[in-house]
Every structure is written in C-alpha cells, then in structure tokens.
Amino acid sequence: MEYIEEADYDSLIIPYQDAMANLMTRLDSLNNDYRRKYKNYPIHHMQERIKKKESIEEKLRRKGFEISVKGIEENLADVAGIRVICSFPDDIYATAKMLTDQDDIRVIQVKDYIINPKPNGYRSLHLILEVPIFLSNEKKNMKVEVQFRTIAMDFWASLEHKLKYKKNIENAEEISKELQRCAEASSQLDLRMQALRDRIEAERE
Ligand code: 0O2
C-alpha cells in the first residue's frame, strides 16, 4: 500500500496552515466590524483543522487518485478546513458574502446543503476558496474549505457523525429516519428563532 512520507506531509501542510490562519483573521475582523455597525456578531464561534495524513491517504485511495503530494495538490480541496458557526441562517449568507466579496479571494466551488440538504438531513454551506499567501520569493494560491453552519446544524452534524461511526446498530433504518426528522425540526427551529430575532430587532429600532 502507498503512503505519504511523514516529512512530505509536514512540509505540505505549512502553507495550508498559513492560508487557514489568514482566513481566520479575515473572518475575525469581519465579525468585529459587523458588530460595530449592526450591534451583533454574525459569527458565534469558529473551528479550524488540518486534515490528518491518514485521512488524506484514505480519501485519495477512495477516490482513486495518486497517493502523493502532487495527488493532494491537484485533487484535494479540504486539506485545510474552517468551520464557521453562526447563530442564525441569515448570518451564514451575510458572512459568506462579506468574505467572498474580498477582491483577492477566489470562489472555486459552492455546495449549498442548506437550500439542498443531503438526503440524511445534513445542512451546511460549503465553500472552497482560494486565498493568496506570500512566501519569501513567491505567491501561492491555497485552497481552503470553509463550512458555514448554524449552532443547530452543527449540533445535528456532530451527533450524526458520532452515530455514523457506531458499528452494528440495531434499527439503523429507523434511527436514520428519526435523524432526518430531527434535522427538519432543527431547521424549523432555526427559522422560528430567526423570525423572533427579526421581530425583537424591529421593535428596538
Ligand atoms: P472531516 O473530518 O470533516 O474532514 P467526500 O464526501 O469527502 O467524498 P466532498 O466533496 O469533500 O467529498 O464532500 P462534501 O459533501 O463537500 O463534504 C465533506 C465534509 O462535509 C465532511 O468532511 C464533513 O465535515 C461534512 N459532511 C458532509 N456530509 C456530511 C454528513 O452527512 N454528516 C456529517 N456529520 N458531516 C458531513 P469529511 O472529509 O467527511 O471529514
């Protein structure tokens, strides 16, 4: 079986870490500016991760790509990943727009699993962005996957992820149906809470 050398992985991830840190700073700064202007934070919190060597190898193998640094750079867009967790669905689109409107960021791919949820009920907005980083003698455009979710979508996805890895569950079909129903209920709750927020804001003005 083919593997990526530990040393190759260690040098590969450095520019991805830089690109991720760069985007985290931009998101922080947007969050603070939005708060100053509109009196609330669109971002509740953020998480970042670099995909582990074993997960990269597994994904390349599963998709039939070459297991090498070249294979990663040409085919994987989620080596660096940021999860942006917002309180309300509206905040997701407002934050994504502010970020993608920046003139040196290129949107490579948009997958809107909020408008089109996955059949299991999964909801999130996934963007693949390309951001420039400046090294001592070159500029590199790095891809980062940014997932936007509400707190409710994140709660659902975390539980679903845990359950997915449990083996030999009895009543698996019934459980996945119930998970779908929970995703639907959770999405309704997001919209009701957002409507409440809008009413409260309107009364404040
Ligand atoms: P990790 O640890 O988050 O990196 P793939 O599905 O990986 O073959 P693609 O196109 O990258 O191909 O998938 P997609 O649909 O854009 O989504 C990939 C990531 O979204 C996953 O990453 C999860 O983080 C999240 N995700 C997508 N679908 C689901 C789902 O049904 N349930 C949950 N809980 N999360 C989901 P990884 O690589 O799986 O893991």
Side-chain angles (χ1 to χ4, degrees):
M1 212 174 321
E2 285 176 283
Y3 293 98
I4 293 159
E5 293 292 333
E6 206 70 58
D8 288 341
Y9 173 78
D10 289 346
S11 21
L12 169 92
I13 64 171
I14 294 170
Y16 284 105
Q17 276 165 335
D18 290 345
M20 202 168 63
N22 180 311
L23 280 182
M24 291 288 281
T25 305
R26 292 178 193 227
L27 284 159
D28 254 334
S29 159
L30 289 174
N31 204 28
N32 291 330
D33 188 50
Y34 194 97
R35 162 87 174 95
R36 271 192 294 275
K37 291 188 175 121
Y38 307 109
K39 309 282 173 269
N40 55 51
Y41 288 109
I43 300 175
H44 186 270
H45 67 281
M46 294 192 278
Q47 296 164 343
E48 57 181 328
R49 70 106 181 84
I50 291 286
K51 211 172 181 71
K52 293 207 178 76
K53 189 173 98 65
E54 294 69 27
S55 307
I56 291 179
E57 288 164 347
E58 183 279 318
K59 189 162 184 176
L60 288 173
R61 221 168 271 137
R62 176 161 49 88
K63 303 225 163 191
F65 296 125
E66 187 182 308
I67 315 229
S68 65
V69 168
K70 187 163 160 272
I72 298 170
E73 287 177 339
E74 287 179 2
N75 302 297
L76 293 199
D78 66 342
V79 172
I82 297 176
R83 202 164 274 162
V84 180
I85 293 135
C86 301
S87 298
F88 302 102
D90 274 1
D91 296 332
I92 291 177
Y93 294 100
T95 312
K97 180 170 183 344
M98 289 188 292
L99 185 64
T100 54
D101 276 353
Q102 297 187 358
D103 61 11
D104 58 349
I105 286 187
R106 201 154 78 91
V107 181
I108 306 291
Q109 187 189 72
V110 178
K111 285 193 197 166
D112 192 336
Y113 296 123
I114 299 173
I115 288 177
N116 299 303
K118 285 199 169 181
N120 62 358
Y122 177 77
R123 286 167 169 80
S124 280
L125 173 69
H126 291 191
L127 305 184
I128 306 291
L129 302 179
E130 206 169 60
V131 60
I133 56 154
F134 295 88
L135 304 177
S136 52
N137 52 5
E138 64 172 320
K139 172 177 152 185
K140 263 186 129 170
N141 289 315
M142 303 302 300
K143 289 194 184 71
V144 179
E145 183 188 64
V146 189
Q147 299 181 347
F148 293 85
R149 302 173 172 175
T150 59
I151 299 170
M153 293 170 197
D154 191 50
F155 172 59
W156 184 93
S158 311
L159 283 187
E160 191 267 352
H161 184 77
K162 266 191 211 147
L163 296 174
K164 209 156 54 182
Y165 287 99
K166 294 234 188 290
K167 295 265 165 0
N168 308 319
I169 306 180
E170 274 181 50
N171 309 317
E173 201 174 318
E174 209 283 303
I175 288 175
S176 56
K177 287 233 169 69
E178 178 61 1
L179 266 172
Q180 275 173 9
R181 289 192 286 268
C182 286
E184 189 53 42
S186 165
S187 158
Q188 293 301 320
L189 181 65
D190 262 347
L191 296 176
R192 286 171 65 188
M193 295 299 279
Q194 181 168 277
L196 264 182
R197 180 210 54 187
D198 292 347
R199 282 174 57 190
I200 293 166
E201 298 277 302
E203 278 181 31
R204 252 209 242 147
E205 279 160 15

